[in-house]
Every structure is written in structure tokens, then in C-alpha cells.
Amino acid sequence: MITNPDRRLFLRGGRPLAIRPPWSLSEDDFVKRCNRCRDCCSHCPQGILAPDLLGFPRVNFSKGPCTFCGACAQHCTPQALVMDTAAPPWLHKAVFAKTCLNGQGIPCRTCGEQCDSNAIIFPPSPGGRILPQLVTADCTGCGACYAVCPVQAIDLLT
Ligand code: SF4
Ligand code: SF4
Ligand code: SF4
């Protein structure tokens, strides 16, 4: 699991793996259009957008979830972010690492309690350990589950 967001930038041959703001263009088109003005960062009421090491905005879910308010896209003059209410704002979903406390026999449902979409369920398993499972279709990728996990067992991936 990747726990340091900046580390993402250097994985996979230097391809940026940072999570871009919602409604961003594809990575190639995004970096062509984004002029690194940081207007999206300064207008995010959640304070979750900040420049990556190359100056392009990325989401830092350790600061909080995205509310999909649209302020970032509305202030993106070069249209590297294009809000389209008919399409999902992004495609990443929550994933759970094996370090989840439930896998160590320590009961925890913290992530599920934070998920307004009820996308995290804890079905009983034959072995008695109740691990979190994602209802993929219901996960918006908002990141509300990310920071609350006491063992950093959650990441947001496409
Ligand atoms: S949609 Fe709103 S909360 Fe989400 S990153 Fe953009 S400005 Fe921030
Ligand atoms: S990213 Fe948001 S919607 Fe998805 S499981 Fe986490 S809290 Fe729920
Ligand atoms: S918050 Fe973390 S440790 Fe707790 S159930 Fe969710 S993934 Fe597991």
C-alpha cells in the first residue's frame, strides 16, 4: 500500500500516480492543459488540494474527503478540470490492505462508519474474521474512509 502521496510520483517509471482533482482530464491531457496556477487548490473548501512535486494539483485525502462541491473545476480557467454532472467525477475506489485490524483479530468498523454511501460492508466469513468489503458500485471515491483508518490500510485506486 502507498501511504505517502508524494511517493506515488516516482513509482512506475516516474509516471505520476497522484490523484488529480475530480473531473480532471486524462493524465496526459491534464498535464498539457494545467498551467499550475493553483487556483483549484486555493478554492477547495476542504483544503485537500495541493501541488505535487511538479507543481500539478493532487488530492491529499489525509486532509479530508472530497465533497464534490465543484469549486475546483469552476475555477479552472484552462479547463484541465471540466465538470460534467452526467459522468462520475473520477474512477478510483477504496481498496483495503491485509493490514486491516480485522485481519489481525482486532474488531474495527471505523471506515464503514464514515462512509455516507454505505459502500463498506462487513459480511461474516466462515473463519470468523469479518473483513471490510467494498460495494464497488456505491463507492464514490470520496476518500472519507482514508484518513480514519488507524493502520492506514485504505488506499484509493483506479
Ligand atoms: S470538488 Fe470541492 S472538495 Fe472536492 S477537490 Fe474540488 S473543491 Fe475540493
Ligand atoms: S471512498 Fe467514500 S464512498 Fe468509497 S468506501 Fe470510502 S468513504 Fe465510502
Ligand atoms: S478502518 Fe482500517 S482497520 Fe478498521 S475496518 Fe476499515 S480498513 Fe480495517
Side-chain angles (χ1 to χ4, degrees):
M1 185 192 62
I2 301 163
T3 54
N4 179 348
D6 282 335
R7 211 180 130 221
R8 291 168 172 269
L9 286 173
F10 300 105
L11 299 178
R12 294 189 199 162
R15 285 288 295 175
L17 295 177
I19 294 176
R20 300 305 179 198
W23 301 287
S24 60
L25 303 180
S26 67
E27 181 69 17
D28 286 348
D29 290 337
F30 176 79
V31 297
K32 282 179 194 161
R33 283 215 175 209
C34 174
N35 62 13
R36 293 180 261 192
C37 66
R38 306 186 183 184
D39 282 350
C40 55
C41 302
S42 61
H43 285 92
C44 174
Q46 293 289 94
I48 62 172
L49 298 181
D52 65 18
L53 295 177
L54 300 176
F56 295 104
R58 68 167 172 84
V59 178
N60 182 357
F61 286 124
S62 64
K63 302 276 188 186
C66 175
T67 61
F68 305 110
C69 68
C72 50
Q74 287 159 9
H75 288 87
C76 181
T77 306
Q79 295 197 305
L81 312 176
V82 181
M83 194 170 180
D84 176 3
T85 54
W90 47 30
L91 298 177
H92 53 264
K93 306 279 184 182
V95 295
F96 308 100
K98 290 180 180 173
T99 48
C100 169
L101 288 174
N102 291 289
Q104 327 303 318
I106 303 169
C108 177
R109 300 203 175 196
T110 304
C111 54
E113 290 164 0
Q114 293 298 315
C115 179
D116 289 342
S117 300
N118 295 319
I120 302 173
I121 58 174
F122 295 85
S125 67
R129 288 192 173 163
I130 301 174
L131 297 170
Q133 285 187 18
L134 191 72
V135 182
T136 306
D138 291 343
C139 175
T140 63
C142 72
C145 54
Y146 180 91
V148 298
C149 176
V151 289
Q152 296 184 305
I154 299 176
D155 206 349
L156 279 296
L157 300 175
T158 54

